[in-house]
Amino acid sequence: MKLYTVAVLGATGAVGQEMIKILQERGFPVGKLVPLASARSAGKTLTFKGEEVTIQEACDEAFTGVDIVLGAAENDIAKKFAPAIVKAGAVFVDNSSAFRLDPKVPLIVPEVNPEDVKWHNGIISNPNCSTIITITAVNALNSIAPIRTMTASTYQAVSGAGAGGPIELMNEVEALREGKTYEPKIFSHQIAYNLIPQIGGESFEGYTSEEMKMQNEGRKIMHLPELKVSCTCVRVPVVRSHSISVSCHFDVPVTVDQVREAIAKAPGCKLVDDLANKQYPMPLETSNQDIVFVGRIRPDLTDDCGICLWCCGDQVRKGAATNAIQIAELLVK
């Protein structure tokens, strides 16, 4: 088996650490791991396959001899190093939003559009976490009838804001328990015992940048250029795993049984849909794994051609790190 030199750009962040963990879990053919981070982390070590590996400072020269770069850094870092990565002959699988809507860059969920990996020009984008989870859940419905519109509400865990999100939630809970105050640093408002109906800045007609990703990225991934999506994104006091309520609308009536059958067979999905026995997707059960759970499937009472469902998935794994490594697996095939 051929072995590959794999670099992780942003190796010390939450997603970067998860990528390194999942490379080991999935037995990806890594011959050499090159963890890259900022100057303040350079020289520190991490463990990979039982051996200590030294973290290097990210610079243009660091990509020489690398086959695949897994990006777990912010947009500005991705844009800064993308030219050097491509020039070095590596393929950049980028988790930032820097290139997602670039028509020359594939945007891939492997269970949905794996064929798009074939036309990359050195850069492949990993979609937004909520988009990945939602599209994995609903894509199988396109085999019944093309999705015309979607209405979605996302319930996004605090870990989606990075490693500091869960810390802030726990600190607030502890402070409130002791009758103390706590000044939010990660979120714009107190997140403990609260919901914050804004993720991202204003983008279009009162919708935030996070909300517009569901439509813009969904169109590209599912090859549905006319898809219209109305989305509301909410930060909730859950540590890990995003949840999404979705109504899908078609040009023809679609039955609950058809949807259940399609989702039960869909790659990357698990049907958990038994209301009578209180069985449905929940964040606690979907954390720390890679399958998107789908349930609460029912007719949309406002539209004879509509179906409602609820899905949950781990946004650090399937919503980011695992999806990127699945893309890398497509490359090595």
Side-chain angles (χ1 to χ4, degrees):
M1 177 186 292
K2 180 180 177 181
L3 298 179
Y4 296 83
T5 298
V6 179
V8 177
L9 180 61
T12 57
V15 173
Q17 292 178 49
E18 201 74 20
M19 285 175 170
I20 293 169
K21 175 183 173 184
I22 294 168
L23 284 169
Q24 296 179 83
E25 282 183 13
R26 295 176 72 92
F28 192 87
V30 180
K32 179 182 179 183
L33 180 72
V34 183
L36 302 172
S38 64
R40 66 177 177 272
S41 296
K44 297 178 182 178
T45 61
L46 53 81
T47 303
F48 181 70
K49 293 184 177 179
E51 297 182 0
E52 294 296 305
V53 182
T54 301
I55 299 169
Q56 302 178 32
E57 181 179 357
C59 62
D60 288 357
E61 295 71 26
F63 303 105
T64 302
V66 172
D67 298 304
I68 297 170
V69 178
L70 301 173
E74 299 298 324
N75 285 18
D76 56 340
I77 301 298
K79 290 178 180 178
K80 176 182 178 181
F81 289 117
I85 294 169
V86 175
K87 185 178 179 180
V91 181
F92 186 22
V93 182
D94 179 32
N95 192 59
S96 83
S97 61
F99 305 103
R100 286 177 185 162
L101 300 183
D102 186 329
K104 297 179 181 178
V105 176
L107 182 67
I108 294 177
V109 176
E111 293 88 347
V112 178
N113 60 329
E115 69 282 358
D116 287 350
V117 77
K118 296 176 183 177
W119 56 268
H120 77 81
N121 294 297
I123 303 174
I124 300 172
S125 272
N126 212 34
N128 170 260
C129 50
S130 293
T131 302
I132 291 174
I133 294 164
T134 305
I135 299 307
T136 300
V138 306
N139 180 68
L141 308 190
N142 277 313
S143 63
I144 306 170
I147 299 170
R148 174 169 47 86
T149 65
M150 292 198 310
T151 302
S153 294
T154 72
Y155 304 80
Q156 298 186 211
V158 292
S159 53
I167 294 172
E168 180 149 300
L169 172 61
M170 300 306 175
N171 286 344
E172 286 181 354
V173 169
E174 185 65 19
L176 291 166
R177 186 183 69 81
E178 296 177 355
K180 299 177 181 178
T181 59
Y182 186 90
E183 187 67 29
K185 302 176 182 64
I186 304 296
F187 303 110
S188 56
H189 302 278
Q190 174 184 313
I191 187 60
Y193 313 116
N194 195 24
L195 303 176
I196 303 175
Q198 178 182 358
I199 302 176
E202 185 171 353
S203 176
F204 176 76
E205 296 286 353
Y207 286 85
T208 68
S209 54
E210 184 81 1
E211 290 161 349
M212 293 307 298
K213 290 173 183 176
M214 188 74 77
Q215 172 174 280
N216 297 335
E217 296 181 18
R219 287 175 171 178
K220 187 173 179 179
I221 298 162
M222 293 195 291
H223 301 162
L224 294 173
E226 303 301 320
L227 177 69
K228 294 182 179 180
V229 180
S230 182
C231 184
T232 302
C233 291
V234 184
R235 187 72 70 190
V236 299
V238 168
V239 173
R240 187 153 170 164
S241 200
H242 289 352
S243 304
I244 303 98
S245 172
V246 191
S247 296
C248 295
H249 306 274
F250 311 87
D251 288 324
V252 296
V254 172
T255 69
V256 168
D257 286 343
Q258 284 178 300
V259 172
R260 284 182 176 145
E261 182 179 0
I263 289 173
K265 296 177 180 177
C269 290
K270 179 178 181 179
L271 182 66
V272 183
D273 190 29
D274 187 351
L275 186 63
N277 289 304
K278 299 180 175 61
Q279 297 296 309
Y280 25 69
M282 293 184 291
L284 284 178
E285 294 186 352
T286 54
S287 295
N288 295 303
Q289 54 81 54
D290 298 320
I291 301 297
V292 175
F293 288 22
V294 188
R296 295 302 320 279
I297 300 168
R298 58 206 188 278
D300 187 332
L301 300 182
T302 71
D303 183 355
D304 290 340
C305 298
I307 286 287
C308 299
L309 58 82
W310 169 264
C311 59
C312 291
D314 188 314
Q315 86 289 350
V316 181
R317 289 184 63 102
K318 180 53 186 169
T322 301
N323 200 77
I325 291 166
Q326 287 177 298
I327 293 171
E329 290 171 346
L330 293 176
L331 290 171
V332 303
K333 286 180 181 178

